[in-house]
Amino acid sequence: MKNPFVYGKTVSGEHFCNRDKEVKELVAEIITCQNIIIFSPRRYGKTSLIMRVLKKVKSMGILTFYIDLYPAINKQRFIEIYAGAISSGISGGFKQIAKKIKEYLPRIIPKIVMDDQSVHFEFEFDRAANISPHIDDLLEAVKKIADRQNKSAVVVFDEFQEIANFEDDEIERKMRSVFQNHENVSYVFMGSKTHLMRDIFNNPNRPFYKSGRHFPLQKISGNELAKFSKQKFSAGGINIGKNETENIIAATECHPYYFQMLCNILWETCQEHGRITQDYINEAIDILIARESSIYIAIWESLTGKQKNLLAALVGEEHPEVFGKKFLAKYMLGTSSSIQKAMKNLLEKDLIRQENGSYVVVDLFFKKWIQRTW
Ligand SMILES: Nc1ncnc2c1ncn2[C@@H]1O[C@H](COP(=O)(O)OP(=O)(O)O)[C@@H](O)[C@H]1O
Ligand SMILES: [Mg+2]
């Protein structure tokens, strides 16, 4: 039997746990063509959730377009990626799709590409020429497609915060002014870098200020994770008691990715024993941290000495008074003004967040790794 616990990629079908309430709410918003801003730290399940939602609304006759902006490093790439997503969202054979593209995106040249995985369209345009007309065409395309079919549509921008890295704010400005006239289209903006997302949507000086419903995605409830994992372990002939289930949930704090990863490791190690014990859970936690450590090392190495010291100090205490003399002296952090900058940088990198008047490390296993290593 294949390991039923999947991590590191979008999950669907039997690998997807619950989120019934979120799916229902999002579907309702999309049907009424609202704009939605979904944000959470990475690996909470945004992409998996929206894929499920898109499948559902598609079955209800809504046109769906999904755009992953993670690779959009500049405006040119944005255009290519958006055009690609539009062509994948159009139904029909290649000829029909090509015809429609010509109609909606008259300035861009589609070419058919065949690779190992699929046959699809890619787009080329003269990068040296003025790209603004392309942007204008693109931003209107979905609305036109929907109008023509007398349908409504939804467009999802995943990792939307990447637009903040573009050379200027042309796309951000145009999107806002164009999208607000699209009554039959719901736009969904998703992002993992909470800090950047907040700035895009909460800063009165930016175009997207107050432009949709905010939907902060939480972790999955412990009860649901317990049911989900118990059923999968028993299907594979592995016994797990109530205490052990609770301990796995406690160790991963209901974090969807880490929960799946820990269960995945336990599945591998416990299959021959047919049961899960606390010892196996402890061993699995060690394996998890070892598997993730290259990511943690890369983050750690990108930090300044001050930032490292501050992180090591923060994981040493529960909600410390960080600007207090005692804390600063204990961890040899210098004066309170000298850690301001490091604090700000760590917040901007989403490595720490404010909680109960203090600061905590966002990623729970990165925190464990720091505690063990430094
Ligand atoms: N509803 C879910 N049920 C089970 N596992 C989930 C769920 N959502 C997320 N996960 C786990 O978290 C991982 C990351 O999910 P993903 O959707 O890529 O998150 P994000 O887009 O927020 O970074 C998945 O590979 C899976 O292991
Ligand atoms: Mg994602």
Side-chain angles (χ1 to χ4, degrees):
M1 190 172 170
K2 231 176 127 188
N3 197 322
F5 297 103
V6 175
Y7 66 94
K9 56 181 180 196
T10 310
V11 288
S12 63
E14 55 174 346
H15 302 300
F16 187 93
C17 169
N18 191 257
R19 296 267 198 221
D20 292 346
K21 188 165 160 274
E22 290 91 338
V23 171
K24 214 167 141 196
E25 279 180 36
L26 290 169
V27 168
E29 297 281 351
I30 291 170
I31 291 176
T32 49
C33 297
Q34 303 298 316
N35 293 345
I36 315 161
I37 299 137
I38 306 177
F39 54 94
S40 79
R42 51 201 284 268
R43 301 156 156 193
Y44 265 39
K46 292 178 295 303
T47 305
S48 305
L49 172 64
I50 206 68
M51 289 306 183
R52 195 169 178 95
V53 169
L54 289 183
K55 200 169 162 198
K56 185 135 199 185
V57 296
K58 194 171 181 179
S59 74
M60 300 161 107
I62 294 174
L63 305 173
T64 61
F65 299 87
Y66 170 83
I67 297 133
D68 180 7
L69 290 182
Y70 194 67
I73 45 170
N74 53 36
K75 294 199 289 187
Q76 280 87 353
R77 280 296 288 146
F78 172 88
I79 293 172
E80 290 163 357
I81 292 168
Y82 200 169
I86 288 177
S87 72
S88 333
I90 299 176
S91 53
F94 275 102
K95 240 180 161 167
Q96 284 163 297
I97 299 176
K99 199 170 150 232
K100 286 186 191 160
I101 291 170
K102 192 115 206 86
E103 184 182 340
Y104 301 121
L105 305 172
R107 281 173 265 248
I108 206 161
I109 304 155
K111 63 172 188 201
I112 295 179
V113 177
M114 255 183 277
D115 59 25
D116 311 345
Q117 273 142 34
S118 65
V119 188
H120 58 271
F121 281 102
E122 278 181 8
F123 296 88
E124 270 180 356
F125 60 94
D126 179 4
R127 284 168 167 248
N130 182 7
I131 60 169
S132 294
H134 286 296
I135 297 173
D136 300 339
D137 289 348
L138 269 170
L139 298 184
E140 290 292 355
V142 168
K143 152 104 173 112
K144 283 188 184 160
I145 296 170
D147 280 349
R148 174 66 62 88
Q149 299 185 37
N150 209 4
K151 285 186 171 179
S152 56
V154 52
V155 182
V156 174
F157 294 99
D158 206 347
E159 303 297 352
F160 183 67
Q161 75 271 332
E162 297 308 311
I163 64 156
N165 300 327
F166 294 171
E167 51 276 39
D168 58 40
D169 68 352
E170 178 185 7
I171 290 184
E172 199 176 330
R173 272 186 296 107
K174 284 186 169 166
M175 270 189 170
R176 174 66 202 252
S177 69
V178 169
F179 289 173
Q180 63 191 2
N181 301 322
H182 292 178
E183 280 165 8
N184 53 349
V185 187
S186 158
Y187 289 95
V188 181
F189 306 96
M190 305 209 298
S192 294
K193 296 187 183 148
T194 6
H195 191 87
L196 281 172
M197 286 293 279
R198 285 222 178 87
D199 196 52
I200 296 174
F201 293 99
N202 290 352
N203 181 343
N205 300 321
R206 291 186 67 164
F208 273 102
Y209 180 58
K210 288 205 171 154
S211 58
R213 173 173 163 199
H214 286 217
F215 195 97
L217 184 66
Q218 310 297 337
K219 294 184 259 191
I220 299 176
S221 91
N223 279 343
E224 295 299 339
L225 290 176
K227 272 194 279 178
F228 176 81
S229 55
K230 185 154 182 80
Q231 188 259 328
K232 295 204 174 333
F233 280 126
S234 357
I238 299 174
N239 248 323
I240 177 160
K242 197 162 173 275
N243 277 346
E244 285 69 32
T245 306
E246 276 168 13
N247 292 345
I248 296 174
I249 289 169
T252 54
E253 294 176 10
C254 297
H255 189 295
Y257 171 88
Y258 284 130
F259 182 82
Q260 289 261 26
M261 185 169 179
L262 196 62
C263 289
N264 178 290
I265 298 169
L266 282 166
W267 171 276
E268 276 170 28
T269 49
C270 296
Q271 223 173 14
E272 56 178 301
H273 316 288
R275 67 195 181 97
I276 291 173
T277 63
Q278 187 56 43
D279 285 344
Y280 289 127
I281 297 176
N282 295 341
E283 188 190 299
I285 291 174
D286 293 344
I287 297 174
L288 184 155
I289 295 177
R291 276 192 200 167
E292 292 287 278
S293 64
S294 56
I295 298 177
Y296 303 148
I297 291 168
I299 298 173
W300 192 256
E301 285 178 352
S302 74
L303 302 175
T304 64
K306 198 91 188 171
Q307 292 165 359
K308 288 178 190 166
N309 280 336
L310 189 54
L311 274 181
L314 284 176
V315 303
E317 317 242 334
E318 275 288 286
H319 301 120
E321 207 184 301
V322 285
F323 295 110
K325 281 207 172 89
K326 223 171 107 195
F327 179 77
L328 294 171
K330 182 171 172 191
Y331 294 99
M332 296 189 284
L333 291 165
T335 62
S336 68
S337 60
S338 75
I339 60 162
Q340 299 270 12
K341 199 173 140 212
M343 195 72 89
K344 189 167 163 266
N345 284 329
L346 293 176
L347 280 167
E348 279 173 5
K349 289 183 173 167
D350 283 316
L351 291 176
I352 60 172
R353 66 158 186 267
Q354 272 181 301
E355 196 179 281
N356 299 335
S358 184
Y359 297 87
V360 293
V361 173
V362 172
D363 188 298
L364 75 136
F365 281 96
F366 182 44
K367 179 177 161 188
K368 283 198 177 74
W369 177 82
I370 299 171
Q371 281 166 335
R372 288 181 178 194
T373 320
W374 305 97

